Amino acid sequence: MAVVGVKGMNDILPAEIARWRAVESAFRVSMELGGFREVRTPHLEHTALFVRSIGESTDVVEKEMFSFPHGRDNLTLRPEGTAGAARAYVEHRIANNEPVTRWYYLGPMFRAETPQRGRYRQFHQAGAEILGDPGPACDAELIDGLVRFLQAIGVPRVTVHINSIGSGDTRTAYARALRDFLEGRASDLSEESRRRLATNPLRILDSKDPRDQAQLVHAPPVSAFMSDADRAHFEGVKAHLSALGTPFVVDPRLVRGLDYYTRTLFELKADKEELGAGNTIVGGGRYDRMIEELGGPSVPAIGFAAGVERLLIASELPVQGPRIDVFVAPIGEAAVGPALCLARDLRAAGSSAEVDARGAGMKSLLRRANNLGARFAVILGDQELAAGTVQLRDLDGRTQDAVPMADAARIVQERLGRSAS
Ligand code: HAM
């Protein structure tokens, strides 16, 4: 039986790489323009890190982590990037050296979800975290930067959804009040929500089940539980977003699936049919208590992560794959050695070059050069070897001339419009 890959974990084949790279490099440019620096943390962490930060009663921790014992350790393939970044921030005592830290990351994450379009078991996130800045201006700046990034990669019709669930105390008081309210109506709730009533009542707020929706209509709003400071923070975020000219929708039901959030929550959605119901491409929010809870100093933080696969589904940016500059075609055994030397010279000068030394005939070699989209073909046969020349064929212009073999690498660079190096 032929081998197959793991369900929900995809190969990214060379034909798709140009689009991946275009999005990744646009993300890097956007983040670095905003003063963010790249951090790379391990793909494996201690399971306890995710349990403590993401929360025991979240879907991610309850049922989506790839965890396994190793020696005395319990390890988990990271389901997201924030916990690892926070752990590294605490472990390397970054707060001692800088009051504000701006980090970004790109890489694979792992969640044992049911695979479907836009939802995979290995997926990639492009994310960022700002640690050390408590103010609402920072929240608005981050959200606005994201909108600009999505514009830069051609994601159409993005909407920004925001909410605040208040600081940690507000969150706890609200969760209690919501539980009290819904407990009396438990028999009318969906099974999943009845279970969540005991473990994580806030998650009921974003249930799509009509039975839950009906009960939630009269539920107390979180705003009734917010402290003056929480309210001022949220008003600040909205005012700064308005000043930046970034439209947003306040969505009081937005709670997000990870337990570490405090105050600002946001999601960016793209109106793109191919994304289906899960049209959220970016999610994020504040997590002002996590660093302290992981044993670090009391440092407020906010961040986001975009799913790269979802960005690629949503992006309408035309991207051209790279072309090979020169296809080197030796005709006959004697030409193979000089062809290898010439390819090496071409590469040293900065031209990409592929040699086909399989001994194929001229016609089939030129067909391959065309199929590869090569810009030039260099043909070397016995006659050229004797004359110390090569035939340089321009595959776009369909012209051909003999040039000295020793000058071929420089001439190719010139004809490519690059200065010879
Ligand atoms: P999240 O909402 O769990 O947040 O994930 C962020 C984004 O990752 C989602 O909006 C989606 O685009 C993508 N994503 C999540 N799961 C999958 C999946 N199974 N397949 C494909 N894409 C997926 C976080 O992960 C937080 N760490 C974000 C954050 C950073 N909050 C603060 N800082």
Side-chain angles (χ1 to χ4, degrees):
M1 205 168 71
V3 293
V4 291
V6 177
K7 189 172 154 203
M9 303 201 174
N10 301 317
D11 300 308
I12 304 161
L13 296 176
E16 304 160 70
I17 290 293
R19 295 193 75 230
W20 276 80
R21 284 207 190 157
V23 165
E24 287 164 354
S25 71
F27 182 69
R28 286 179 195 282
V29 167
S30 155
M31 296 322 295
E32 286 174 16
L33 283 172
F36 289 77
R37 291 187 301 155
E38 184 178 356
V39 66
R40 299 187 189 186
T41 62
H43 296 186
L44 273 180
E45 297 274 359
H46 291 288
T47 304
L49 171 69
F50 302 115
V51 177
R52 277 172 68 179
S53 55
I54 296 173
E56 217 155 351
S57 55
T58 55
D59 284 352
V60 172
V61 170
E62 270 184 356
K63 46 190 186 202
E64 294 171 1
M65 296 205 300
F66 287 103
S67 301
F68 56 91
H70 184 263
R72 288 209 210 135
D73 294 324
N74 270 305
L75 304 179
T76 292
L77 277 168
R78 62 181 187 186
E80 54 106 58
T82 309
R87 196 247 334 119
Y89 177 85
V90 171
E91 191 169 334
H92 299 283
R93 296 187 167 79
I94 304 294
N96 290 350
N97 303 322
E98 48 191 46
V100 178
T101 297
R102 291 180 166 223
W103 281 354
Y104 78 88
Y105 49 86
L106 268 164
M109 309 290 162
F110 305 85
R111 294 186 193 176
E113 296 197 72
T114 309
Q116 50 184 273
R117 184 145 177 81
R119 176 161 295 144
Y120 314 101
R121 292 186 161 182
Q122 175 172 330
F123 60 100
H124 296 75
Q125 282 189 343
E129 316 292 343
I130 303 179
L131 302 114
D133 188 337
C138 160
D139 307 20
E141 185 200 356
L142 196 68
I143 294 169
D144 175 66
L146 262 167
V147 173
R148 308 296 140 194
F149 162 64
L150 294 177
Q151 279 169 354
I153 61 163
V155 175
R157 300 177 297 279
V158 173
T159 46
V160 176
H161 297 248
I162 61 170
N163 190 22
S164 172
I165 46 161
S167 56
D169 293 341
T170 303
R171 198 189 154 108
T172 313
Y174 182 54
R176 201 176 308 125
L178 198 62
R179 177 179 300 150
D180 290 348
F181 172 83
L182 290 172
E183 232 149 30
R185 298 161 167 78
S187 52
D188 296 319
L189 294 174
S190 68
E191 240 162 74
E192 178 73 8
S193 292
R194 234 174 301 161
R195 195 180 62 81
R196 282 190 166 142
L197 210 46
T199 58
N200 201 345
L202 287 180
R203 292 288 291 146
I204 300 174
L205 282 180
D206 67 356
S207 159
K208 304 281 177 285
D209 192 300
R211 289 170 289 174
D212 301 331
Q213 297 267 350
Q215 297 310 315
L216 286 167
V217 173
H218 302 292
V222 66
S223 52
F225 295 80
M226 284 213 275
S227 66
D228 289 346
D230 287 341
R231 212 181 301 277
H233 185 96
F234 194 40
E235 290 308 316
V237 175
K238 291 191 273 184
H240 286 300
L241 279 175
S242 299
L244 284 161
T246 299
F248 57 87
V249 180
V250 176
D251 179 353
R253 293 272 179 85
L254 178 65
V255 282
R256 307 216 356 93
L258 312 164
D259 271 358
Y260 49 63
Y261 291 117
T262 53
R263 291 193 165 164
T264 315
L265 299 174
F266 57 90
E267 283 186 349
L268 275 64
K269 297 175 193 275
D271 177 14
K272 181 105 182 175
E273 211 175 302
E274 293 90 319
L275 281 168
N279 57 353
T280 301
I281 44 180
V282 189
R286 246 184 200 283
Y287 49 100
D288 289 342
R289 303 224 293 205
M290 193 205 291
I291 298 298
E292 199 173 2
E293 281 168 5
L294 293 178
S298 171
V299 171
I302 183 167
F304 71 81
V308 179
E309 286 82 356
R310 294 190 194 177
L311 292 176
L312 287 166
I313 293 172
S315 165
E316 292 178 353
L317 204 64
V319 176
Q320 270 228 311
R323 295 179 74 179
I324 188 100
D325 294 326
V326 189
F327 184 83
V328 183
I331 311 291
E333 191 53 36
V336 170
L340 293 177
C341 292
L342 179 58
R344 188 176 60 193
D345 292 348
L346 283 160
R347 292 171 190 140
S351 306
S352 55
E354 179 169 339
V355 191
D356 189 333
R358 294 172 305 152
M362 173 86 127
K363 219 167 140 194
S364 109
L365 285 172
L366 285 179
R367 195 177 320 116
R368 224 192 127 221
N370 276 312
N371 289 345
L372 282 174
R375 181 71 179 76
F376 292 99
V378 167
I379 302 146
L380 295 87
D382 291 342
Q383 234 178 314
E384 286 75 27
L385 286 181
T389 60
V390 296
Q391 292 293 329
L392 180 57
R393 192 179 180 106
D394 184 327
L395 294 170
D396 282 0
R398 297 181 181 281
T399 54
Q400 182 170 317
D401 56 344
V403 302
M405 195 182 308
D407 297 333
R410 179 183 53 79
I411 293 170
V412 165
Q413 280 291 93
E414 279 169 14
R415 293 192 187 173
L416 284 166
R418 303 173 189 152
S419 57
S421 54

